Amino acid sequence: MIKKYFYSIFTFFLSIIFFSSNDINTISTLSFPIRLDYYISSNYGYRTVGTYHFHNGIDIPKPPGTPVYALANGVINYIGFSSSYGNYIIITYSNGYKSLYGHMSGIYPFSVGDYVTTNDIVAYIGPTFLSSGIRNGFTTGPHLHFTIYRNNKLINPIAIFK
Ligand SMILES: [Zn+2]
């Protein structure tokens, strides 16, 4: 009984070592979506902008037309529009990662289902108001809204790109 108990503790710690080293390997293969100098205007977490709510990503201000890159080799999963993200695109990668880029221009070099690589431009930052006069999502100025999911759970992008 005691032997079995120690064995399960042992395997528990082994799995922690295995999974954390696995994480490090995975994370080192992801590249940042903006390849120029940048700053973060709004962090991941609860904030008060209009209302008190959860911000599920980070915001990076850049002029319209700034290219946005894939994080790694992946597939274009979704291209659409919503009142919060404006024009947005979702890319899926191996190891359960997924990235969402919001407030984009609406001009995309690739289509849904296309394979992309780390150095592919997948979108461009869009204007605050689209040519139709519609606001490009919940935004007051041109920026990339950048969300990362892992196994469909939100994670803080800053935890990966330190
Ligand atoms: Zn945002």
Side-chain angles (χ1 to χ4, degrees):
M1 180 61 188
I2 287 170
K3 214 174 176 181
K4 197 177 172 190
Y5 175 73
F6 277 110
Y7 179 74
S8 59
I9 289 201
F10 177 69
T11 51
F12 173 71
F13 280 107
L14 259 190
S15 66
I16 286 178
I17 291 162
F18 175 76
F19 285 115
S20 46
S21 62
N22 196 30
D23 270 355
I24 289 159
N25 289 334
T26 306
I27 285 162
S28 67
T29 64
L30 298 179
S31 304
F32 203 70
I34 297 286
R35 301 288 169 87
L36 304 162
D37 286 343
Y38 67 90
Y39 73 96
I40 294 163
S41 61
S42 187
N43 274 302
Y44 176 92
Y46 285 95
R47 67 176 185 179
T48 304
V49 179
T51 58
Y52 182 71
H53 67 281
F54 188 78
H55 186 226
N56 70 4
I58 57 173
D59 291 341
I60 299 152
K62 279 287 171 198
T66 303
V68 183
Y69 292 81
L71 304 183
N73 295 349
V75 180
I76 307 292
N77 178 251
Y78 187 82
I79 289 172
F81 180 89
S82 83
S83 57
S84 50
Y85 296 129
N87 288 318
Y88 71 103
I89 181 167
I90 297 173
I91 302 152
T92 54
Y93 310 96
S94 58
N95 304 312
Y97 280 101
K98 201 152 77 168
S99 66
L100 183 153
Y101 303 149
H103 317 302
M104 298 293 95
S105 69
I107 296 160
Y108 302 101
F110 296 95
S111 307
V112 172
D114 284 351
Y115 286 87
V116 293
T117 68
T118 312
N119 292 315
D120 280 332
I121 293 167
V122 293
Y124 300 92
I125 288 178
T128 308
F129 287 93
L130 300 171
S131 54
S132 54
I134 292 169
R135 188 178 282 270
N136 193 8
F138 185 63
T139 176
T140 53
H143 73 277
L144 164 69
H145 169 90
F146 174 30
T147 291
I148 299 184
Y149 298 91
R150 190 175 190 196
N151 299 326
N152 292 318
K153 282 169 74 176
L154 284 167
I155 56 174
N156 185 349
I158 294 308
I160 294 178
F161 301 102
K162 280 176 187 162

